[in-house]
Amino acid sequence: MLKALIVDDEYNNRENLSFMLQHDCSGITIAGMAENGLQARDWLANNQADVIFLDISMPMETGFEMLEKLPAHHFRIIFVTAHDEYALQAIKASAVDYLLKPVNITELQQAVEKLKQTILNEQYVSQNQQLVHNLVKNFVPGQPPAKIALPQLGSISFVDVNEIISLQADSNYTIIHKRDMQKTVVTKTLKDFEDILDASQFVRIHKSHIVNVKYIVNYSTADGGTVKMEDGNTWTVSRRQLDTLLQKLKQHNILFFK
């Protein structure tokens, strides 16, 4: 039986999540509840948990700040967050587990089942801890993520978004083209990255391509519209996305005529 700690500053949120875990999820029990990070740390000093359902936006200190103050640990974290644009971007960029408020029962059950299937997998647990550490270390309130995590078989790559030139769709995979001329294939869709990356810097120019505006070296109206990137790749611009691209070029004081 997995032991869970619920950390949320709102009483109703704690009680609702506790009720759903006890009545709608099997194999998990509520070991404790806390209304802020200090209470949670005091509880963890004398008790054990397999998983913490952790609210992000709390008074005195955020969920991220609470984790920064904890010593090395082996429990799993499932973040529970409202629609905070930047926090959600950071969570998705770090590829960690999360639930959106109000918590959906089906999504909660899926999260618990995933937890049960992976809790004894030391490699997965270690990888998850690296992802959480990267999130806590790099999150800056009010700013988009500076790095994204790319979990791969047996390893994780942390990529600086400024090193990404473009992203190319390949079925349910995405090919990431980087400044060092290396390519990384990830089991995420282009839409996943569209939700993660800073919209002021990255623009979707086609159903198959997202580009980093700062690395466009040429825009041509030939053949319906194309952009040439710093690494030599040339991508087609769809008619639907042309106005968006031109707007981004103007915002970055970049204009090409040909």
Side-chain angles (χ1 to χ4, degrees), residues 34-231:
E35 63 182 53
N36 55 55
L38 178 59
Q39 283 188 9
R41 292 198 304 277
D42 287 344
W43 188 92
L44 288 166
N46 300 291
N47 301 276
Q48 291 187 335
D50 298 302
V51 57
I52 298 179
F53 290 89
L54 181 60
D55 185 22
I56 293 176
S57 180
M58 295 185 291
M60 295 186 287
E61 63 182 24
T62 66
F64 297 151
E65 291 168 336
M66 174 197 136
L67 290 176
E68 277 189 302
K69 297 176 182 178
L70 285 175
H73 56 79
H74 297 285
F75 46 75
R76 290 275 296 282
I77 302 292
I78 296 179
F79 292 100
V80 185
T81 179
H83 288 267
D84 180 305
E85 177 186 357
Y86 292 109
L88 197 52
Q89 261 189 320
I91 288 171
K92 289 180 177 180
S94 296
V96 296
D97 297 323
Y98 72 95
L99 294 166
L100 277 177
K101 294 180 180 180
V103 175
N104 176 278
I105 290 177
T106 301
E107 292 176 355
L108 177 61
Q109 290 171 330
Q110 291 172 347
V112 171
E113 285 305 309
K114 178 183 177 182
L115 182 67
K116 286 156 60 177
Q117 293 169 14
T118 59
I119 197 71
L120 296 178
N121 185 327
E122 291 185 9
Q123 184 180 31
Y124 185 91
V125 172
S126 175
Q127 189 178 82
N128 185 261
Q129 289 173 347
Q130 290 180 57
L131 294 172
V132 172
H133 175 74
N134 178 69
L135 169 61
V136 171
K137 180 180 177 182
N138 292 292
F139 176 70
V140 179
Q143 293 186 22
K147 288 188 176 184
I148 58 175
L150 305 177
Q152 296 165 303
L153 187 62
S155 65
I156 308 170
S157 298
F158 295 101
V159 179
D160 189 325
V161 296
N162 287 317
E163 294 302 309
I164 298 174
I165 291 181
S166 62
L167 302 95
Q168 177 185 7
D170 183 10
S171 186
N172 289 326
Y173 296 83
T174 295
I175 302 169
I176 299 175
H177 299 264
K178 296 182 290 185
R179 291 196 73 195
D180 60 6
M181 306 302 288
Q182 297 298 308
K183 293 188 287 188
T184 302
V185 180
V186 185
T187 55
K188 286 180 178 289
T189 66
L190 211 59
K191 179 63 170 65
D192 292 328
F193 287 102
E194 192 173 17
D195 292 341
I196 290 170
L197 296 167
D198 182 5
S200 68
Q201 182 176 348
F202 290 85
V203 58
R204 188 160 189 166
I205 60 167
H206 188 274
K207 65 180 181 180
S208 299
H209 298 103
I210 293 174
V211 299
N212 188 336
V213 175
K214 65 190 284 186
Y215 297 128
I216 296 176
V217 297
N218 180 267
Y219 163 67
S220 172
T221 57
D223 301 319
T226 59
V227 292
K228 184 175 182 180
M229 308 305 296
E230 185 181 277
D231 60 356

